[in-house]
Amino acid sequence: MRQAQFDAGGSHVRWTEVDGAAPARVYVHGLGAASMVYHAHIAARPELAGRRSLFVDLPGHGISDRPADFGYTLEDHADALAAALDAARVTGAEVIGHSMGGSVAIVLAHRRPDLVSRLVLTEANLDPMPPVTAGSSGIAGYEEEGFVSGGGHARVLEKVGSTWAATMRLADPLALHRSATALIKGTQPTMRRMLTDLTLDRVYVQGALSGELPGEDGLVAAGVRVVTVPDAGHNVMFDNPAAFASAIAGRP
């Protein structure tokens, strides 16, 4: 386990790391998740093994610190991720981001292009105000106090299912609510606009069971390779790990 300070209060973002060849692959989890849980089994597959791999937990999640005076915006998370990569002396990484982690990866590539050579985004949030679900919008539907201390956190854990709840219960409720609220609000420019303006290698992975990808034609026109994975929903890495690993490896 390694760590890097990400705020003036001495809070640390932490990650676990596997040695290997460059360029490094950096795995970033989604809202209420943890990177090792969602990606370690993927990085160990034969088609991906041998590369330096970092599994970063964003602030408020997993093994990273959870300061109460932190904003937990997408930009804040991206800056914390940049602090981790700077401390690890990583540049030109392949960043594999799931859901909110994909959104953070886009912001990172936009703000610190020196750190990113390729993006693999798994059902990343690209637009503000997504449809209402039990996830980010369900969390953000509560007032902060109501979620943190008024029973909202417990109610959301009951709704999201056992797999997501297993890691969500490890995330700080305040960080979880602020992260969800920031994800709903989005960025300026939007994550979609940042993504289409980038010129690096970009792959967007969509689970077929999640339905059509909104705005797919515009992404393709901007040079984003869209990979639809059969027999998979939002958690592509669990539902079809072989196809997910192939997308990361750059195979058709």
Side-chain angles (χ1 to χ4, degrees):
M1 183 176 68
R2 300 186 63 187
Q3 64 182 26
Q5 184 173 325
F6 67 84
D7 70 359
S11 303
H12 289 85
V13 57
R14 296 187 177 88
W15 67 96
T16 51
E17 184 172 330
V18 176
D19 289 336
R25 290 195 178 106
V26 178
Y27 295 87
V28 188
H29 61 82
L31 180 69
S35 285
M36 279 288 289
V37 175
Y38 277 72
H39 291 117
H41 66 295
I42 297 297
R45 290 183 63 88
E47 59 267 48
L48 298 177
R51 290 278 289 278
R52 185 182 182 190
S53 300
L54 287 75
F55 306 91
V56 183
D57 284 346
L58 296 171
H61 293 72
I63 56 176
S64 290
D65 288 341
R66 45 202 69 199
D69 58 351
F70 193 64
Y72 298 98
T73 66
L74 293 174
E75 294 88 350
D76 289 336
H77 282 303
D79 288 347
L81 180 56
L85 300 189
D86 284 339
R89 298 185 178 181
V90 168
T91 58
E94 295 185 25
V95 182
I96 298 97
H98 178 225
S99 198
M100 184 186 79
S103 306
V104 172
I106 293 168
V107 177
L108 176 71
H110 174 76
R111 293 164 75 94
R112 289 289 307 274
D114 58 306
L115 298 179
V116 185
S117 63
R118 183 172 185 252
L119 289 173
V120 180
L121 310 169
T122 311
E123 297 213 355
N125 301 71
L126 300 180
D127 305 302
M129 302 305 295
V132 176
T133 66
S136 58
S137 52
I139 293 169
Y142 289 89
E143 295 294 332
E144 185 174 288
E145 184 177 352
F147 182 79
V148 173
S149 57
H153 182 231
R155 286 191 287 272
V156 168
L157 286 177
E158 291 177 357
K159 291 181 180 178
V160 299
S162 59
T163 298
W164 197 2
T167 54
M168 186 181 286
R169 66 190 179 190
L170 304 178
D172 178 70
L174 178 64
L176 191 60
H177 186 271
R178 290 183 182 174
S179 296
T181 301
L183 189 59
I184 296 298
K185 181 180 178 182
T187 57
Q188 287 295 333
T190 66
M191 296 87 80
R192 183 181 297 272
R193 178 62 182 271
M194 290 184 197
L195 178 60
T196 55
D197 283 351
L198 291 168
T199 58
L200 48 72
D201 185 20
R202 295 150 295 162
V203 180
Y204 192 101
V205 180
Q206 176 83 352
L209 300 179
S210 296
E212 294 185 4
L213 171 62
E216 178 176 347
D217 290 345
L219 294 178
V220 173
V224 180
R225 185 165 72 94
V226 176
V227 178
T228 301
V229 177
D231 304 317
H234 187 63
N235 294 329
V236 179
M237 67 290 298
F238 294 153
D239 297 337
N240 195 335
F244 182 58
S246 292
I248 296 173
R251 299 176 181 176

